[in-house]
Amino acid sequence: MNKKFLLQLPRLGTSPPAVGVGHALKNWALGREVSYKFNMEWIVGYFEPLDKNISGSNIDRGGHTPQMFLDHFGLNDMIQNKKFNKIKRKYNLLEVPRKIKSSLEIKKYISEKYNHYDGFLLPLQAPAVIEAKDVTDKIRKWFKDKKGENEKSLCSRRYFNICIPIRRGDRVFIPNMRDKKDSWFLSKLELKLKEIDSTKAIRIFIFAETYNKTWWHENQLTNNNIPEHRKWKMSDIHPKGHWLVNDFKNKNFSKIEKIYVNHEGEPVDIEKMFSKYNAKLYLNEDIYTVLDSILDADLIIKNGACHGTGSLVNIFK
């Protein structure tokens, strides 16, 4: 056999069992990168429990279905379940261990085992870390060609577009999970603006979310299906955010979903903080609008360690 196979069960950008769109696209980028690296035939299937959901019966927190994810990013023709199952039955494939998360480590593992198997299987696993050096022009071009004209971006070529994704929502409450302070984003923006030499007017989009009703069934405060070691306690939460916790527990969503809070859970007017630059806040915006805007932006001010969509700049730029 001349060509080897790479089988993958990539995430579809919805939950359960997959995570967010940003992490899902990194998962797809991993498959594309590994197949290029070893010149393997890349065959994509989908996780069997999602079978009924491909028709649209399963939705994520933003109301998206697996089919919407495939449609928006032009990935429909990648799903080849029959071929996936046939190759899996017929050939001697090695499944990459789930504990290996880094793209560099995965490629090293495959390289060491390459001559002993007909191909490899990338399982539905935690989002892989995609190193910047692995993001080739071929991968960027492939993604953009697949996506085609599906576009929900707020950016315009008439302007120099800056996106600032700030993770609040689920990350507000727990000290070791909080995103940076608002002042950190402002300071970084001001530093970057000094480096910009553009004749275009500047537009700034701030994207953030609140702890709203779409989180209710997955929250780590009142959900009894979550293991004890993953649950949050009031002692974990900053005192300034206790009001938010209480409103959330009492399902006062109409109140809290309209309020931007800082890293401690305290309500702030972030547009006022950035008023010098006429920045506009988009709170709980549709994730595809956020993602497309990030992909089209001329500059992104982000804390990559805390934001899956923000880190995609390394893949698409």
Side-chain angles (χ1 to χ4, degrees):
M1 183 182 67
N2 295 324
K3 195 152 190 174
K4 302 204 175 196
F5 302 102
L6 178 68
L7 272 61
Q8 185 182 19
L9 296 168
R11 297 178 179 273
L12 297 180
T14 59
S15 59
V19 292
V21 173
H23 291 301
L25 286 177
K26 287 198 290 185
N27 208 230
W28 282 78
L30 172 68
R32 181 73 285 180
E33 158 60 18
V34 172
S35 66
Y36 278 149
K37 170 69 176 178
F38 296 98
N39 192 30
M40 291 189 284
E41 183 179 353
W42 184 30
I43 303 171
V44 174
Y46 61 80
F47 193 50
E48 284 306 319
L50 281 176
D51 187 9
K52 61 181 174 60
N53 300 326
I54 288 294
S55 63
S57 62
N58 182 256
I59 60 174
D60 69 1
R61 288 189 298 262
H64 306 107
T65 67
Q67 189 61 55
M68 290 168 67
F69 173 85
L70 294 172
D71 288 344
H72 187 76
F73 295 100
L75 297 168
N76 297 285
D77 63 348
M78 295 297 299
I79 304 295
Q80 303 180 74
N81 267 5
K82 289 184 179 179
K83 187 172 184 179
F84 181 99
N85 292 326
K86 180 180 178 180
I87 298 297
K88 188 177 179 181
R89 287 193 303 267
K90 185 176 180 180
Y91 293 97
N92 181 27
L93 306 177
L94 177 64
E95 182 171 344
V96 175
R98 292 172 180 264
K99 65 181 180 180
I100 304 179
K101 302 296 197 304
S102 161
S103 58
L104 285 179
E105 292 175 357
I106 287 174
K107 289 192 292 185
K108 180 181 178 183
Y109 180 85
I110 291 176
S111 180
E112 292 171 349
K113 310 286 186 181
Y114 188 81
N115 293 327
H116 305 291
Y117 295 89
D118 299 325
F120 298 85
L121 173 65
L122 296 176
L124 185 73
Q125 58 185 10
V129 176
I130 308 295
E131 285 79 5
K133 66 176 67 175
D134 285 343
V135 184
T136 65
D137 289 338
K138 290 177 71 175
I139 293 178
R140 294 186 185 95
K141 185 177 186 306
W142 181 81
F143 266 114
K144 290 191 176 184
D145 287 347
K146 296 296 291 184
K147 191 169 183 292
E149 297 180 356
N150 297 326
E151 186 64 66
K152 299 184 75 172
S153 174
L154 298 175
C155 297
S156 168
R157 291 303 97 197
R158 293 181 298 159
Y159 298 93
F160 187 92
N161 304 280
I162 301 176
C163 288
I164 308 178
I166 304 177
R167 186 155 188 171
R168 293 296 180 237
D170 61 325
R171 294 293 177 97
V172 167
F173 299 143
I174 308 304
N176 64 354
M177 294 178 68
R178 290 179 190 145
D179 208 337
K180 298 288 188 180
K181 297 180 180 180
D182 295 332
S183 57
W184 181 89
F185 290 97
L186 179 58
S187 296
K188 191 167 183 180
L189 170 66
E190 291 176 335
L191 286 173
K192 290 293 184 180
L193 287 175
K194 293 178 182 179
E195 303 171 3
I196 295 173
D197 182 17
S198 175
T199 57
K200 298 179 180 179
I202 294 175
R203 291 177 68 187
I204 301 174
F205 307 97
I206 300 174
F207 295 112
E209 77 290 334
T210 60
Y211 215 105
N212 54 61
K213 61 184 176 183
T214 62
W215 293 87
W216 178 255
H217 295 293
E218 300 178 31
N219 81 84
Q220 290 164 286
L221 290 163
T222 62
N223 189 343
N224 293 325
N225 295 322
I226 293 179
E228 283 298 320
H229 71 279
R230 290 190 58 221
K231 283 189 175 182
W232 299 344
K233 301 179 178 62
M234 287 297 282
S235 58
D236 296 322
I237 297 165
H238 195 284
K240 291 181 180 178
H242 284 189
W243 72 274
L244 182 58
V245 176
N246 291 326
D247 274 327
F248 177 75
K249 290 170 71 174
N250 293 324
K251 297 188 177 183
N252 293 330
F253 301 125
S254 60
K255 174 184 176 182
I256 62 176
E257 67 185 7
K258 299 175 183 177
I259 301 175
Y260 176 88
V261 299
N262 63 15
H263 65 293
E264 296 177 337
E266 183 179 24
V268 296
D269 186 346
I270 194 168
E271 287 187 344
K272 183 177 181 179
M273 179 181 290
F274 284 75
S275 61
K276 180 179 177 181
Y277 306 103
N278 295 316
K280 182 170 177 56
L281 172 65
Y282 290 83
L283 199 58
N284 301 316
E285 187 62 58
D286 176 81
I287 185 60
Y288 291 155
T289 299
V290 176
L291 185 57
D292 285 358
S293 300
I294 287 174
L295 301 184
D296 286 347
D298 299 291
L299 175 65
I300 300 174
I301 306 297
K302 65 182 179 67
N303 173 25
C306 286
H307 212 288
T309 52
S311 64
L312 283 174
V313 64
N314 291 331
I315 293 178
F316 287 86
K317 291 299 181 185

